[in-house]
Short mmCIF file of all heavy atoms in Angstrom, two decimals:
data_model
loop_
_atom_site.label_atom_id
_atom_site.label_comp_id
_atom_site.label_asym_id
_atom_site.label_seq_id
_atom_site.Cartn_x
_atom_site.Cartn_y
_atom_site.Cartn_z
N VAL A 110 -124.11 -39.72 119.61
CA VAL A 110 -122.69 -40.05 119.39
C VAL A 110 -121.81 -39.14 120.21
O VAL A 110 -120.82 -39.61 120.83
CB VAL A 110 -122.37 -39.92 117.86
CG1 VAL A 110 -120.87 -39.99 117.63
CG2 VAL A 110 -123.07 -40.98 117.06
N GLU A 111 -122.14 -37.89 120.25
CA GLU A 111 -121.34 -36.94 121.03
C GLU A 111 -121.38 -37.28 122.53
O GLU A 111 -120.35 -37.26 123.20
CB GLU A 111 -121.88 -35.54 120.80
CG GLU A 111 -121.16 -34.43 121.56
CD GLU A 111 -121.84 -33.10 121.29
OE1 GLU A 111 -121.55 -32.48 120.24
OE2 GLU A 111 -122.65 -32.66 122.15
N ARG A 112 -122.56 -37.62 123.01
CA ARG A 112 -122.69 -37.91 124.44
C ARG A 112 -121.98 -39.23 124.80
O ARG A 112 -121.39 -39.32 125.89
CB ARG A 112 -124.18 -38.03 124.82
CG ARG A 112 -124.97 -36.74 124.64
CD ARG A 112 -124.53 -35.64 125.59
NE ARG A 112 -125.44 -34.52 125.55
CZ ARG A 112 -125.30 -33.45 124.75
NH1 ARG A 112 -124.25 -33.38 123.93
NH2 ARG A 112 -126.19 -32.49 124.75
N ILE A 113 -122.03 -40.20 123.91
CA ILE A 113 -121.28 -41.44 124.15
C ILE A 113 -119.82 -41.12 124.35
O ILE A 113 -119.13 -41.67 125.23
CB ILE A 113 -121.47 -42.42 122.98
CG1 ILE A 113 -122.82 -43.13 123.10
CG2 ILE A 113 -120.36 -43.46 122.96
CD1 ILE A 113 -122.91 -44.24 124.10
N GLY A 114 -119.29 -40.20 123.54
CA GLY A 114 -117.90 -39.83 123.67
C GLY A 114 -117.57 -39.17 124.98
O GLY A 114 -116.39 -39.11 125.37
N ARG A 115 -118.60 -38.69 125.68
CA ARG A 115 -118.40 -38.08 126.99
C ARG A 115 -118.77 -39.01 128.14
O ARG A 115 -118.87 -38.60 129.29
CB ARG A 115 -119.23 -36.79 127.08
CG ARG A 115 -118.69 -35.69 126.16
CD ARG A 115 -119.70 -34.59 125.90
NE ARG A 115 -120.26 -34.04 127.14
CZ ARG A 115 -121.25 -33.12 127.15
NH1 ARG A 115 -121.77 -32.72 126.02
NH2 ARG A 115 -121.71 -32.69 128.29
N GLY A 116 -118.99 -40.32 127.79
CA GLY A 116 -119.23 -41.30 128.85
C GLY A 116 -120.64 -41.47 129.32
O GLY A 116 -120.87 -42.01 130.40
N TYR A 117 -121.61 -41.07 128.51
CA TYR A 117 -123.01 -41.17 128.91
C TYR A 117 -123.54 -42.60 128.76
O TYR A 117 -123.10 -43.37 127.90
CB TYR A 117 -123.89 -40.28 128.03
CG TYR A 117 -123.97 -38.82 128.47
CD1 TYR A 117 -122.83 -38.06 128.65
CD2 TYR A 117 -125.20 -38.22 128.72
CE1 TYR A 117 -122.89 -36.73 129.03
CE2 TYR A 117 -125.29 -36.89 129.10
CZ TYR A 117 -124.13 -36.15 129.27
OH TYR A 117 -124.20 -34.83 129.65
N VAL A 118 -124.53 -42.93 129.61
CA VAL A 118 -125.34 -44.13 129.40
C VAL A 118 -126.48 -43.74 128.44
O VAL A 118 -127.14 -42.72 128.65
CB VAL A 118 -125.92 -44.64 130.73
CG1 VAL A 118 -126.85 -45.84 130.50
CG2 VAL A 118 -124.81 -45.00 131.71
N VAL A 119 -126.70 -44.59 127.43
CA VAL A 119 -127.74 -44.28 126.42
C VAL A 119 -128.72 -45.45 126.35
O VAL A 119 -128.49 -46.44 125.65
CB VAL A 119 -127.10 -44.02 125.03
CG1 VAL A 119 -128.21 -43.68 124.03
CG2 VAL A 119 -126.09 -42.91 125.10
N PRO A 120 -129.81 -45.41 127.12
CA PRO A 120 -130.84 -46.45 127.00
C PRO A 120 -131.80 -46.12 125.87
O PRO A 120 -132.24 -44.97 125.72
CB PRO A 120 -131.53 -46.40 128.35
CG PRO A 120 -131.36 -44.97 128.80
CD PRO A 120 -130.11 -44.46 128.18
N LEU A 121 -132.10 -47.10 125.05
CA LEU A 121 -132.97 -46.89 123.89
C LEU A 121 -134.00 -48.03 123.82
O LEU A 121 -133.63 -49.23 123.82
CB LEU A 121 -132.16 -46.87 122.60
CG LEU A 121 -131.14 -45.72 122.46
CD1 LEU A 121 -130.25 -45.96 121.24
CD2 LEU A 121 -131.81 -44.38 122.38
N LEU A 122 -135.28 -47.68 123.77
CA LEU A 122 -136.30 -48.68 123.57
C LEU A 122 -136.12 -49.29 122.19
O LEU A 122 -136.00 -48.58 121.18
CB LEU A 122 -137.68 -48.05 123.71
CG LEU A 122 -138.07 -47.70 125.15
CD1 LEU A 122 -139.26 -46.75 125.18
CD2 LEU A 122 -138.36 -48.95 125.97
N ALA A 123 -136.08 -50.62 122.14
CA ALA A 123 -135.58 -51.29 120.92
C ALA A 123 -136.48 -52.39 120.39
O ALA A 123 -136.11 -53.04 119.41
CB ALA A 123 -134.19 -51.87 121.21
N ASP A 124 -137.63 -52.63 120.98
CA ASP A 124 -138.44 -53.76 120.55
C ASP A 124 -139.53 -53.39 119.53
O ASP A 124 -140.28 -54.27 119.10
CB ASP A 124 -139.07 -54.49 121.74
CG ASP A 124 -139.90 -53.55 122.63
OD1 ASP A 124 -139.83 -52.32 122.46
OD2 ASP A 124 -140.60 -54.08 123.52
N ARG A 125 -139.64 -52.12 119.17
CA ARG A 125 -140.66 -51.75 118.20
C ARG A 125 -140.18 -50.56 117.39
O ARG A 125 -139.76 -49.55 117.96
CB ARG A 125 -141.97 -51.39 118.93
CG ARG A 125 -143.10 -50.95 117.98
CD ARG A 125 -144.41 -50.82 118.73
NE ARG A 125 -145.44 -50.26 117.87
CZ ARG A 125 -145.85 -48.99 117.89
NH1 ARG A 125 -145.30 -48.15 118.76
NH2 ARG A 125 -146.79 -48.56 117.08
N ASP A 126 -140.25 -50.70 116.08
CA ASP A 126 -139.81 -49.65 115.18
C ASP A 126 -140.94 -48.64 114.95
O ASP A 126 -142.08 -49.05 114.67
CB ASP A 126 -139.37 -50.24 113.83
CG ASP A 126 -138.97 -49.19 112.85
OD1 ASP A 126 -138.07 -48.38 113.20
OD2 ASP A 126 -139.50 -49.16 111.75
N LEU A 127 -140.63 -47.38 115.10
CA LEU A 127 -141.62 -46.33 114.91
C LEU A 127 -141.57 -45.68 113.53
O LEU A 127 -142.41 -44.86 113.19
CB LEU A 127 -141.46 -45.26 115.97
CG LEU A 127 -141.66 -45.70 117.42
CD1 LEU A 127 -141.32 -44.57 118.38
CD2 LEU A 127 -143.09 -46.18 117.64
N SER A 128 -140.56 -46.02 112.74
CA SER A 128 -140.31 -45.30 111.50
C SER A 128 -140.78 -46.04 110.26
O SER A 128 -140.84 -45.45 109.19
CB SER A 128 -138.81 -45.02 111.36
OG SER A 128 -138.10 -46.23 111.14
N ALA A 129 -141.09 -47.33 110.38
CA ALA A 129 -141.38 -48.20 109.24
C ALA A 129 -140.17 -48.36 108.33
O ALA A 129 -140.28 -48.83 107.19
CB ALA A 129 -142.57 -47.68 108.43
N ARG A 130 -138.99 -47.95 108.81
CA ARG A 130 -137.76 -48.12 108.05
C ARG A 130 -136.77 -48.95 108.88
O ARG A 130 -135.56 -48.86 108.66
CB ARG A 130 -137.13 -46.79 107.70
CG ARG A 130 -138.02 -45.89 106.81
CD ARG A 130 -137.27 -44.66 106.37
NE ARG A 130 -136.81 -43.87 107.50
CZ ARG A 130 -137.53 -42.94 108.14
NH1 ARG A 130 -138.78 -42.71 107.74
NH2 ARG A 130 -137.05 -42.27 109.14
N GLY A 131 -137.28 -49.73 109.81
CA GLY A 131 -136.40 -50.49 110.70
C GLY A 131 -135.79 -51.71 110.03
O GLY A 131 -136.01 -52.00 108.87
N VAL A 132 -135.03 -52.42 110.85
CA VAL A 132 -134.34 -53.62 110.38
C VAL A 132 -135.25 -54.83 110.59
O VAL A 132 -135.77 -55.04 111.69
CB VAL A 132 -133.02 -53.81 111.18
CG1 VAL A 132 -132.31 -55.08 110.73
CG2 VAL A 132 -132.12 -52.59 110.99
N GLU A 133 -135.44 -55.63 109.55
CA GLU A 133 -136.29 -56.80 109.70
C GLU A 133 -135.54 -57.87 110.46
O GLU A 133 -134.37 -58.20 110.15
CB GLU A 133 -136.71 -57.32 108.33
CG GLU A 133 -137.73 -58.44 108.42
CD GLU A 133 -138.32 -58.81 107.08
OE1 GLU A 133 -138.74 -57.89 106.32
OE2 GLU A 133 -138.36 -60.03 106.77
N VAL A 134 -136.20 -58.45 111.47
CA VAL A 134 -135.58 -59.48 112.30
C VAL A 134 -136.60 -60.60 112.52
O VAL A 134 -137.79 -60.44 112.31
CB VAL A 134 -135.14 -58.92 113.68
CG1 VAL A 134 -134.03 -57.90 113.52
CG2 VAL A 134 -136.34 -58.33 114.44
#
C-alpha cells in the first residue's frame, strides 16, 4: 500500500492461492 502511494508497479501472481484462505471463484 505504501509503495503504491509512491507510484510503484506491483505485479502479483494471482492464479493460485497459497494460503487456503483465498477467494472462491
Side-chain angles (χ1 to χ4, degrees):
V110 169
E111 180 182 279
R112 297 293 189 268
I113 282 282
R115 291 163 52 186
Y117 275 56
V118 177
V119 182
L121 297 171
L122 288 164
D124 56 348
R125 179 170 174 260
D126 178 55
L127 297 174
S128 68
R130 298 186 302 273
V132 178
E133 187 171 312
V134 295

